[in-house]
Amino acid sequence: MTLDLRIDGVAARLEVHRDGDRYRFRLGDRDERHAQLVEVEPGVYSVLLDGRSYEARAEPGDDCAWITLRGRRFQVAITDPRRWTRNSAAAHGHDRDNIVASMPGKIVRVLVNPGETVQAGQGVIVVEAMKMQNEMKARRAGRVSAVPVREGETVTAGTILATIE
Amino acid sequence: MTLDLRIDGVAARLEVHRDGDRYRFRLGDRDERHAQLVEVEPGVYSVLLDGRSYEARAEPGDDCAWITLRGRRFQVAITDPRRWTRNSAAAHGHDRDNIVASMPGKIVRVLVNPGETVQAGQGVIVVEAMKMQNEMKARRAGRVSAVPVREGETVTAGTILATIE
Amino acid sequence: MFRKVLIANRGEIAVRIIRTLREMGIASVAVYSDADRASLHVRMADEAAHVGPSPSSESYLRIERIIDAARAHGAEAIHPGYGFLSENAEFAAACAAAGLVFIGPSADAIGKMGSKTAARDLAMAAGVPVVPGMHHGARDADEAREFARGCGYPVLLKAVAGGGGKGMRRVDGDADLAAAFRDAASEAERAFGDAAVYVEKLIERPRHIEIQLLGDRHGHVIHLGERECSMQRRHQKIMEECPSPLVAAHPEMRRAMGEAAVRIARAAGYYNAGTIEFLVDARRNFFFLEVNTRLQVEHPVTELVTGLDLVRLQLEIAAGEPLPLRQEDVELRGAAIECRVYAEDPDNHFFPSPGRIAHLDRPAGPGVRLDSGVYPGCTVPLEYDPLLAKLAVWAGSRAEAAARMIRALDEYHVVGIKTNLGFFRQLLEDDQFRRAELHTGLVDEFLSRRPVPSDDAELQAVAALVAQAFLPVRTSIDKNRAGRNAWAAWRVAGRDDLLQ
Amino acid sequence: MFRKVLIANRGEIAVRIIRTLREMGIASVAVYSDADRASLHVRMADEAAHVGPSPSSESYLRIERIIDAARAHGAEAIHPGYGFLSENAEFAAACAAAGLVFIGPSADAIGKMGSKTAARDLAMAAGVPVVPGMHHGARDADEAREFARGCGYPVLLKAVAGGGGKGMRRVDGDADLAAAFRDAASEAERAFGDAAVYVEKLIERPRHIEIQLLGDRHGHVIHLGERECSMQRRHQKIMEECPSPLVAAHPEMRRAMGEAAVRIARAAGYYNAGTIEFLVDARRNFFFLEVNTRLQVEHPVTELVTGLDLVRLQLEIAAGEPLPLRQEDVELRGAAIECRVYAEDPDNHFFPSPGRIAHLDRPAGPGVRLDSGVYPGCTVPLEYDPLLAKLAVWAGSRAEAAARMIRALDEYHVVGIKTNLGFFRQLLEDDQFRRAELHTGLVDEFLSRRPVPSDDAELQAVAALVAQAFLPVRTSIDKNRAGRNAWAAWRVAGRDDLLQ
């Protein structure tokens, strides 16, 4: 069968034929490969490819899987045309950068105002969680388009703290 | 609710009232106890009873559960009247002792003949498995009522090799 | 020896203490908050007492509740571990008042040494060099600025009651001082309930090297050599070594720093385990930094190299026994390294990453020691320090120990939450670390030069193959199988819901 | 040093070798039979080669397939582990012929020492006392009986090609000899493809103490002290110690036995790692028993006490490097104990208990080393030796090590198959073991006096409570919850089916 994948946001076509735990597959326009794959523990896969042994761990994500092997992490989604367009947009949507709270916390100080321009690495907002104050920095230079939180406010995980364009 | 249990083959009545992870229970005619129980991992239970902390592991058996805690192993079954009679019979059926193959193997030598009397610990049959020869001994003295296997025969796990009465 | 001991702590250190208690045939009593009912230390202890709601201020920091629990369970002594009440003189005194043995130094010694300013006076009196700094908390930003100008920038703002880098700020000039002072004070207030902050001259690119002390209640004090703790992020140790590569190359330093540490301990009438921290500058001068009047997080590296069990020794000392060894009996063999494994996201400002551990593979084999407080399926609570485990290795040499740590990290997998395991993996391969050119700023420097992994078509192909096996796919051929695999993944989640 | 090494073995020893290879930056090639595709050593290796069907006679014992795999993967050397082809001179020669380095002694030395009778001649020539015995396999039961009468009963029948107690029988008089000879020969035939059996005088209640040897390819041979291996069942070691309590109490024995062992090795031109086994009688006389020309199962206790990595040393020696240490550099510190964890049922004649491991909790923490070949959900195959793991502990003294082992065993849980963990737990608390009054019959004596656990109403109550939570119950109130829990259990099973 043939699958449309998105690997770390980049579209790729996977052609795969399975016979028990043996696979014949071709990723994009690369050569066809032969591999053997066994799920040895739930979400843990042992893959033999050209005599090399790989152990990969899979976690479910939103509409995707996170695959970890040899210390590397890959986001892989199986896409259908409709979803593809949306996701590819997001994948290529590098024109804006949201600073997001990765866990619940309290806003201690807001260091920038909407409209200001910031340098990469410049402090944007100070959040306290788990008894530690963390200064969230801008990952890239740009203009602060939004700071939807106020000092003293408690935020939940996933809350957008600031947006840089 | 009240349950008829069989603990290591002995009948016992368990009266138990549950409120979340808190339990009020009475085993047989003992005093009522208060305990807290949490399944911390699948089949692994943390029990707090009178301030003491117990960790128990449960495995499914035939019509019963095997409970291991503090190095001890208990067989516990929840019985209904019909099953109860059958099981109690089995539980008390100490008048015959089957020597059973616990895994596949090959009969190397049969050391006794039906009708012979054997002493506790006397060798009855030699089985070879996993490259080791194991002499199966009589657990108790008695008369050999049956030896349903022949030398050279391969047996599967659970096969009765000899019966002592 | 005691028959029953209560551990006034949680997580990996509670588990580590329970292990030695069990080996000594002493019954253990765990304490737990609402968030910790299913935690490993409760599962492993012989007895357990609930001491309140999840916030530590309402449970693990409540002196009276801890002491009531010890009384109710008939414990004769209390081990405070590290953090929480471990350096709280009031708690030590309360234990004594309740007829319980506090496994640590006297309340008096904690009082003398717990305050950084008082401890510095003590060190100076003992003829040990100290870093120039204020002798008391600054009244306000102005007084702090005044002193900073006097000794010259850069300076450090530090919490008087502080520890673990909390309430600490570097200031490079007048301009930043006011804001830094405000942040440090508020952080100190939150962390220690005391906003007092003082100023100290900052030594550039120093090493952090500390001496492990051991003293019995009969006046006998020895040291167990040093630990190199220069690998820090935001003033928090993340990786420690024994011996210090610098001291190993200059053994006379061990003798000098060890003797200085013992002098300070004697001057304070100190007993049980303790640690004297020093800063060492580029010319190998050492300056007294502070005292930790408790067992250190990083004690395993000293245990691996000396062959001693520090918790066992703490218990013997607390029970009034004399030290079983003299200074000349202390022998260092080989090299040990420890990594502090945190639930945090190195790719997102090292932000804490609490949550449920869906899958866990632990390293083992030759020379690997894991002190862990978690298990597969457990939930890492939001309320506490996100230390999951300490991974320590021992080998004949530092290079072999580093290689062994990399091997162990490769065997270590935590699925469901983010950890800093991969970060350590990179750090251990850093040339400057391998050359042992260490200083407390090395980790931050490394972060700026941290290598970006290159694309790997081979791994990408394997990932694609695994993903198609793992994800449910809408095709006739693979429906059942793929569906089943995805199910498996969801069953893991579903299963863990039962643990709530 | 080699760039890539193939491991001609499986299970825990393959995993243990892979770990050192990884630490040395050497790529590892695993081999596997049909039964081992999902085994841990295949998961952990960098590369893997299939070498045949499940029976070892068609896979792990197939010399040409192993060598083909090494060639196909570009390995430069082969580590044989223990068992399988590790003491097969033909295999060592075949490696050499194929231009591969055999990580072990020369084929010539294996030939000389592999045959028990030849090895005994060698020992006698080196002036090392031996147990009276035949110098060749017995033609038949009559010749065996003749010799037995000569040296006097009791005697031992032993396989000429033997090892690990296979093909070994005790005979107390003429009457039993014929049957025992038949059994020993048939077992020897099956185990080694050689039915030859010889007779040896039996020393009553002996200790089994062995010396670890290490020799480089430049004629330099040293010993790493002894191991006490008297804890045996059916002539198989189940628990080993370093140092031997007897030798620790009489250090002159270490020197005498060590020098005797080195003399034998020199006489045979022996290099790489090897072990000389001795029997020691009640008057502390020692007799040469046999040579093991490979890494021992129990090597971890020597590693823990000497601080050396024997597999690393084996690789360095095989690569032609000189020994990195002299005899006087070998230092023993503290005490180590190892338990061989088997899938077997102590309550049913220790019958092997292969199958699926449904749940696995592993011990960790201070002084605990686990060398395991299994993981949760894996299946222990029927085809091979049922050794699951080796649990070793180190501590400052033997008593502390024993207490630590008990603690570690209490943390170790294998659900789904039977193991001997609980048996070790009892054995470690046996007075005779604690007093270190060891001999090779101690375990059998212990089995006859093995304590029967008394009823415990408290534990019974807990078990009842847990069972009602675990088992599905036909009542309205608890239906869902109980149902769910039982489901959880069945899901475990169902999940594991995916692993087939």
Side-chain angles (χ1 to χ4, degrees), chain D residues 40 52 54 64 68 97 132 147 156 182 213 227 231 239 251 265 286 295 311 313 324 329 343 359 429 471 478 480 487:
Chain D
L40 190 58
S54 301
E64 77 287 2
D68 289 349
F147 185 92
L156 268 186
R182 194 165 55 244
L213 287 172
R227 288 182 291 260
M231 303 297 275
M239 188 158 77
F286 60 88
L295 189 66
V311 173
L313 287 161
D329 301 326
H359 187 88
E429 287 180 333
L471 287 168
D478 273 24
N480 304 339
W487 259 70

Side-chain angles (χ1 to χ4, degrees), chain A residues 1 18 23 30 33 39 41 45 49 52 54 57 59-60 72 83 102-103 109 128 130 133-134, chain C residues 183 186 190 234 351-352 359 361 382 384 413 415-416 454 457-458 460 468 474 481 485 490:
Chain A
M1 69 186 164
R18 170 167 180 262
Y23 290 78
R30 301 182 201 157
R33 311 287 299 273
E39 188 182 24
E41 294 181 65
Y45 296 80
L49 179 57
R52 281 185 298 281
Y54 297 95
R57 286 166 176 72
E59 296 171 77
R72 299 288 297 276
R83 205 196 297 150
S102 63
M103 56 173 299
R109 294 173 64 210
E128 176 161 317
M130 276 176 152
Q133 294 197 1
N134 296 272
Chain C
D183 289 356
S186 79
R190 280 189 188 68
R234 301 164 43 106
F351 224 76
H359 188 87
D361 290 300
L382 180 66
Y384 315 111
H413 303 281
V415 176
S454 55
E458 186 76 356
Q460 203 178 56
Q468 64 82 31
R474 281 178 234 67
R481 198 189 102 280
N485 285 347
W490 294 118

